[in-house]
Amino acid sequence: MSLDNLELISEHACFGGVQRFYKHSSAEIGLPMRFGLFLPPQALAGQATPLLTYLAGLTCTEETFAIKAGAQRQAAELGLAILTPDTSPRGAGITGEDHHWEFGVGAGFYLDATEMPWSGHWCMESYIVKELLPGVTAQFGLDGQRLGLFGHSMGGHGALTLALRHPGVFKSVSAFAPISAPTQCPWGHNAFTGYLGQDESTWLAHDASALMAQQTSAPYANGILIDQGLADKFLVEQLKPELFEAACAQAGQPLTLRRHAGYDHGYYFIQTFMADHLRHHAERLA
Ligand SMILES: N[C@@H](CCC(=O)N[C@@H](CSC=O)C(=O)NCC(=O)O)C(=O)O
């Protein structure tokens, strides 16, 4: 499977590898989409290379991780390619699509919307799983059998839910400050009402804690890693990692949930613990 109308926007040599940004025509979204791709030196030399996908949070783009997370040095050492999709469709022309930072543009929530007017283009789950991942692995000769997934905040929700909704696709999962139980927080209520409608029973299929609580055995027996700052202003109202922790305990899912005094929600926190996440994935994708 190839990506239609793939266009290189920019490329930057980086720790012996290359950080690139691309644009392509997405069939699932029905609009042009952008993504970032870090290729480590091993991939440039033609070696079989695993692919780690990072899902970013509200207001972010395909560039945020590459600029702010400080991951490329270690990804080059570990031989990990890193894919960074955008966080939503852009330019759909839906009235008010960019009026709120927690809904619409920059806030795709990594699901397929079922409600008009969003259902036409807001298909981020299908885009990532059915189109972007197969397209990128094929186009760049990466190892489609060694895929990892991680993310931050809304992207942490995306990482946990896509990993649970698509068993067997991803071999490793982690998250920074994920929205852990979106059916029980204002960001999730707002997004799910708009994208999925008023029937809250349909929301549970996109709630990491609800999905984990349904498991009869550990879906990721090799463990899930989550880091959470305790000075994060969104922790109590929006993130609720304790609910995912309880669901993991119920399902027998090994979880390392580390709580860090003094760290907030931003990319200084993410940078601080990035090396641990990259090692977590590299060990499981070896
Ligand atoms: N504009 C908002 C803050 C938005 C914000 O904090 N976004 C986070 C993700 S939040 C959950 O998904 C983020 O990653 N921002 C990018 C960054 O560079 O920090 C406000 O007014 O509070």
Side-chain angles (χ1 to χ4, degrees):
M1 179 179 181
S2 63
L3 295 166
D4 287 343
N5 299 320
L6 186 67
E7 182 187 330
L8 180 64
I9 298 168
S10 68
E11 66 176 333
H12 314 274
C14 189
F15 297 108
V18 64
Q19 176 67 56
R20 292 183 182 154
F21 296 98
Y22 287 96
K23 183 178 177 181
H24 72 114
S25 301
S26 167
E28 292 290 343
I29 300 287
L31 289 168
M33 290 292 286
R34 293 175 180 237
F35 64 88
L37 182 65
F38 175 72
L39 294 172
Q42 295 85 343
L44 298 181
Q47 293 176 26
T49 300
L51 178 63
L52 179 56
T53 298
Y54 177 86
L55 304 179
L58 294 163
T59 72
C60 294
T61 72
E62 75 286 355
E63 285 188 307
T64 310
F65 176 90
I67 295 167
K68 293 188 168 184
Q72 290 96 338
R73 179 194 294 269
Q74 201 188 9
E77 288 169 8
L78 294 170
L80 289 173
I82 303 184
L83 170 66
T84 55
D86 201 352
T87 51
S88 77
R90 294 176 195 270
I94 295 172
T95 304
E97 65 184 10
D98 56 359
H99 287 185
H100 304 283
W101 65 268
E102 67 277 62
F103 185 75
V105 169
F109 272 82
Y110 304 106
L111 50 71
D112 291 353
T114 55
E115 289 293 294
M116 290 292 285
W118 309 101
S119 52
H121 297 293
W122 258 248
C123 305
M124 289 299 289
E125 178 172 8
S126 290
Y127 168 62
I128 290 168
V129 176
K130 293 188 201 163
E131 183 173 8
L132 190 59
L133 280 169
V136 166
T137 51
Q139 191 94 36
F140 298 97
L142 302 170
D143 187 345
Q145 299 305 308
R146 290 190 292 157
L147 301 179
L149 186 61
F150 68 154
H152 169 233
S153 195
M154 175 184 73
H157 143 77
L160 297 176
T161 54
L162 295 192
L164 290 167
R165 286 170 58 77
H166 299 277
V169 173
F170 302 101
K171 302 272 185 299
S172 57
V173 188
S174 75
F176 298 93
I179 303 171
S180 298
T183 61
Q184 300 185 55
C185 76
W187 280 344
H189 262 255
N190 185 50
F192 288 5
T193 302
Y195 296 140
L196 302 175
Q198 301 281 350
D199 178 0
E200 297 190 18
S201 66
T202 66
W203 299 2
L204 294 171
H206 301 278
D207 180 304
S209 297
L211 288 167
M212 184 57 79
Q214 292 166 5
Q215 306 293 321
T216 52
S217 62
Y220 289 88
N222 62 8
I224 295 174
L225 172 64
I226 293 179
D227 280 301
Q228 175 62 59
L230 293 178
D232 184 328
K233 66 180 179 182
F234 300 122
L235 172 56
V236 174
E237 189 183 18
Q238 305 285 7
L239 305 179
K240 303 182 189 292
E242 68 280 2
L243 299 181
F244 189 70
E245 187 177 40
C248 286
Q250 185 181 321
Q253 168 62 50
L255 171 70
T256 302
L257 170 55
R258 307 189 303 185
R259 295 171 165 91
H260 305 283
Y263 287 91
D264 66 19
H265 197 62
Y267 271 79
Y268 296 109
F269 155 67
I270 292 171
Q271 281 180 34
T272 303
F273 301 104
M274 180 54 63
D276 295 343
H277 284 250
L278 296 180
R279 268 195 300 274
H280 170 90
H281 290 277
E283 286 166 11
R284 286 155 182 79
L285 297 173

